[in-house]
Amino acid sequence: MSSEEQWWRQAVVYQIYPRSFADANGDGVGDLRGIIGHLDYLEALGVDVVWLSPIYRSPMDDNGYDIADYDDVDPLFGTLADLDELIAGLHARGMKLIMDLVVNHTSDEHPWFVEARQLGSAKRDWYVWRPAREGAIAGQPGAEPTNWGSFFGGPAWSYDEASGEYYLHLFSRKQPDLNWENPQVREAVYAMMRRWVERGVDGFRMDVINLISKQYPLSDGPTGPGEQLSWSQTLWADGPRVQEWLTEMNQAVGLSAEQLFTVGETPGVTIANAREYTRPDAQRLNMVFQFEHMAFDQDGPDKFHLKPVPWPALKQNLAQWDAGLAGQGWNSLYWCNHDQPRVVSRFGDDSPEHRVASAKTLATVLHLHRGTPFIYQGEELGMPNATFIDVSDFRDLESINYFHTRVAAGDDPAQILVGLRGKSRDNARTPMPWSDAPMAGFTTGTPWLPVIGEFKTINAAAQEGDPESVLAHYRRLIELRHREEIVREGDLELLLPDDERLWVFTRTLGAQQWLVLANMTSHAVGVPLSALPSLEDAELVLGSHPGPPTDVQTLRPWESRVYRLAHRA
Ligand code: ISL
């Protein structure tokens, strides 16, 4: 495949969470017209692709990841005509649009599921139905067909009294899993994707696409009832037919043939499986999102139990993913999305003193890796986590369910809130701060989730003309990737892999070599220059701090530098 056909290897993607991006009609919820009003901002940032989180008709149990009509826009966000205008506006500026494709499950209010609830209906088999466990009384606790827990708490099965059977839902009870074994389901999904392509969309981000193939016959796993699922389970993740179906999807929709953009969300994926998903000759997906680097600040199996990030483990992990896919598949690169806390609060230092430098340095190390970078709205401003005080401040069903489940189990509510403040998905979902106007210029009404307390200083307008802003730094990183082949395609070698404070690596392409040096702490750190390639006659391509370094041998708190080396090591 030529490099032109693999255009996505050169692209930078920007994720929009429509509910929180910009509200044009004053109802407190972001909408499509709000996005249309900010296309110049996206163009100035320099991104190539915009990924829209779901805007389809939905009861909004999971903010639109529970879809009741795949072919229409929810009135909360606007109309199909607004979407057409958005696509045209992006295309006119040389950008592309990819849609979120949520097809592991539908909403329980989708007409397919409403019909499937009827015993004996033609669509009964479009979902996963099972009788109660043998010998158990249907509807009683413990009678679920298997012991799987849902990702959002409680069992992964709900009892449907009318038909006397249980349906499977790996997420909320309002998100029943589709039965992909049924060819009619697959054909319906591919036909729907085709309709979006014909409407002008340029590709798809595929929600939990590695969960569509389950291991049959369904059986108990080592996870107990109501406990969090473990992604390492082949019972429901990366199942036996997923690769076959993605090949089938690719052909049916024309994904590779029409050079559409595809990224699969694949929690728990291993490097070996990622190769299968992304190797170009197999024509499945361009890239997948891996999750290993999102787990290093997690203490044990509970995602809300936090510990400080061990830098050696995290940086070695990204280097392993790079090596594991080099020449065989392709990586995605991300710190943030709508499910993850803000990176500057999570791995950086969001104090007034270090927020800007740590946001820039986290961006630098990620964007200097090989792969397609994804930027989540507000990340480019160095947005911090929200300030949540009480459980009533949260809107996300995962956070709310978790709080009540843990309280019922006897945990200390104050401790549970510590975990939620650090990890809740709502941290990513606060409104985009556009200016220092009331409600950060996001809405003229009352925002569905409060704007961050710091919006007077942290906002897009304030950073717009400031060359030392986080926003300016992201623009430079995107421009660097577009301009320099070594950033896109150079081989990566991690140096000082066990250093707990410095993140150092080289990128090499032919005779060229670059060196990236980053201090991942809030203290000055000496650089062991003798252990690194020579900096003699090296050119400083990019730095986190203004001007030349004060001292080549010392990195200031959260300082990073990117050098073009004169001599290849
Ligand atoms: O945040 C998580 C739960 O702890 C993740 O495990 C997340 O649920 C997982 O990455 C799948 O996410 C995707 O599918 C979910 C949806 O809620 C997320 O917003 C979406 O990104 C179900 O559709």
Side-chain angles (χ1 to χ4, degrees):
M1 212 180 291
S2 74
S3 65
E4 200 170 273
E5 284 170 346
Q6 297 195 351
W7 63 271
W8 34 269
R9 289 168 77 117
Q10 319 194 4
V12 179
V13 184
Y14 188 85
Q15 183 191 353
I16 290 183
Y17 195 64
R19 163 179 287 273
S20 305
F21 191 65
D23 173 21
N25 67 358
D27 66 356
V29 177
D31 43 43
L32 292 172
R33 300 223 66 83
I35 303 172
I36 292 168
H38 288 285
L39 292 181
D40 289 346
Y41 174 83
L42 299 174
E43 189 178 15
L45 183 57
V47 295
D48 307 280
V49 177
V50 169
W51 149 28
L52 266 195
S53 275
I55 43 95
Y56 313 96
R57 275 195 189 261
S58 163
M60 302 290 164
D61 183 54
D62 187 17
N63 287 357
Y65 282 89
D66 48 318
I67 296 171
D69 183 348
Y70 286 115
D71 287 284
D72 204 1
V73 170
D74 195 282
L76 193 61
F77 297 124
T79 63
L80 279 168
D82 293 332
L83 186 65
D84 289 340
E85 197 178 321
L86 173 61
I87 295 172
L90 285 166
H91 286 173
R93 288 169 169 81
M95 290 179 276
K96 296 180 187 279
L97 181 82
I98 65 169
M99 299 285 273
D100 220 305
L101 181 81
V102 187
V103 290
N104 173 67
H105 45 268
T106 66
S107 164
D108 64 340
E109 298 180 33
H110 193 292
W112 295 347
F113 189 71
V114 173
E115 188 181 337
R117 284 196 116 123
Q118 313 295 322
L119 259 187
S121 79
K123 292 214 166 55
R124 182 71 176 173
D125 185 51
W126 282 40
Y127 293 83
V128 184
W129 296 96
R130 288 291 180 280
R133 184 181 287 271
E134 223 179 294
I137 303 173
Q140 296 297 306
E144 290 82 15
T146 69
N147 66 350
W148 303 359
S150 110
F151 289 106
F152 293 154
W157 296 93
S158 281
Y159 183 53
D160 180 55
E161 242 174 78
S163 65
E165 286 190 329
Y166 288 80
Y167 65 88
L168 177 68
H169 55 87
L170 293 180
F171 294 90
S172 96
R173 58 188 308 146
K174 287 187 67 63
Q175 293 168 298
D177 281 48
L178 282 163
N179 176 17
W180 272 69
E181 300 283 337
N182 184 328
Q184 290 175 358
V185 168
R186 305 202 299 274
E187 278 157 28
V189 168
Y190 307 154
M192 174 267 286
M193 293 171 72
R194 196 58 228 164
R195 288 193 291 279
W196 283 110
V197 171
E198 270 149 30
R199 196 158 200 117
V201 315
D202 304 291
F204 301 94
R205 173 269 185 190
M206 303 183 188
D207 194 65
V208 286
I209 202 67
N210 64 330
L211 304 192
I212 58 177
S213 166
K214 279 84 178 170
Q215 179 96 55
Y216 288 99
L218 303 181
S219 60
D220 282 349
T223 321
E227 282 173 32
Q228 280 261 320
L229 292 176
S230 154
W231 291 113
S232 60
Q233 295 302 329
T234 46
L235 295 178
W236 49 77
D238 304 300
R241 298 188 68 189
V242 62
Q243 306 292 352
E244 169 200 333
W245 293 337
L246 288 176
T247 304
E248 180 184 86
M249 174 198 280
N250 190 307
Q251 280 168 11
V253 183
L255 296 174
S256 294
E258 297 181 34
Q259 294 165 34
L260 295 162
F261 188 103
T262 51
V263 54
E265 189 209 26
T266 51
V269 72
T270 59
I271 292 175
N273 277 334
R275 268 187 220 126
E276 285 306 306
Y277 285 118
T278 68
R279 58 188 176 92
D281 59 322
Q283 303 215 332
R284 294 185 181 116
L285 302 174
N286 299 154
M287 66 199 87
V288 295
F289 292 132
Q290 65 105 354
F291 279 72
E292 288 173 359
H293 69 306
M294 292 283 107
F296 289 111
D297 60 344
Q298 183 176 315
D299 201 4
D302 185 326
K303 91 167 210 183
F304 293 103
H305 287 180
L306 304 175
K307 65 174 187 191
V309 60
W311 285 116
L314 194 152
K315 63 191 189 180
Q316 287 171 28
N317 182 262
L318 290 195
Q320 282 157 12
W321 273 86
D322 179 79
L325 293 187
Q328 307 195 53
W330 188 247
N331 264 310
S332 71
L333 305 169
Y334 73 96
W335 285 137
C336 297
N337 62 41
H338 63 291
D339 294 331
Q340 301 293 336
R342 293 285 178 182
V343 71
V344 73
S345 301
R346 183 182 193 176
F347 298 148
D349 180 341
D350 63 7
S351 68
E353 198 184 347
H354 298 300
R355 185 187 62 85
V356 170
S358 64
K360 288 182 184 175
T361 283
L362 283 161
T364 300
V365 288
L366 189 78
H367 283 244
L368 265 292
H369 273 69
R370 176 166 45 188
T372 298
F374 287 71
I375 300 167
Y376 175 68
Q377 66 184 42
E379 177 186 342
E380 77 281 14
L381 305 176
M383 268 181 88
N385 278 349
T387 315
F388 296 116
I389 296 164
D390 188 64
V391 63
S392 62
D393 295 335
F394 294 93
R395 297 285 168 272
D396 177 29
L397 84 169
E398 180 191 44
S399 299
I400 297 168
N401 288 350
Y402 176 79
F403 181 84
H404 294 301
T405 309
R406 293 319 309 164
V407 169
D411 289 3
D412 173 12
Q415 274 312 309
I416 305 170
L417 282 169
V418 170
L420 285 177
R421 285 186 199 115
K423 270 304 237 343
S424 170
R425 309 196 296 180
D426 280 335
N427 282 304
R429 300 176 181 184
T430 61
M432 179 82 172
W434 290 104
S435 69
D436 62 2
M439 302 307 155
F442 164 73
T443 180
T444 53
T446 306
W448 72 278
L449 195 64
V451 297
I452 50 165
E454 305 90 333
F455 77 90
K456 291 268 177 203
T457 47
I458 305 174
N459 65 65
Q463 299 192 21
E464 184 60 45
D466 174 4
E468 302 311 329
S469 64
V470 181
L471 178 61
H473 195 77
Y474 270 86
R475 286 180 181 156
R476 286 193 283 267
L477 284 168
I478 296 167
E479 197 261 331
L480 202 60
R481 172 166 296 264
H482 287 152
R483 181 159 42 95
E484 299 282 354
E485 194 185 354
I486 192 169
V487 176
R488 301 190 299 269
E489 301 286 346
D491 288 331
L492 182 141
E493 188 187 354
L494 184 66
L495 306 180
L496 312 177
D498 299 318
D499 196 298
E500 288 170 7
R501 300 174 300 171
L502 297 178
W503 194 334
V504 184
F505 55 94
T506 54
R507 299 292 305 279
T508 306
L509 186 73
Q512 275 195 74
Q513 190 164 57
W514 286 24
L515 177 70
V516 180
L517 278 179
N519 175 1
M520 310 309 289
T521 78
S522 301
H523 310 280
V525 175
V527 183
L529 286 177
S530 57
L532 302 178
S534 166
L535 285 178
E536 201 187 321
D537 296 327
E539 177 203 343
L540 183 65
V541 179
L542 184 72
S544 54
H545 289 54
T550 40
D551 169 9
V552 181
Q553 295 190 42
T554 308
L555 284 165
R556 289 167 280 185
W558 292 105
E559 180 173 5
S560 50
R561 300 185 208 136
V562 180
Y563 288 104
R564 187 194 305 272
L565 301 180
H567 316 282
R568 201 184 140 158

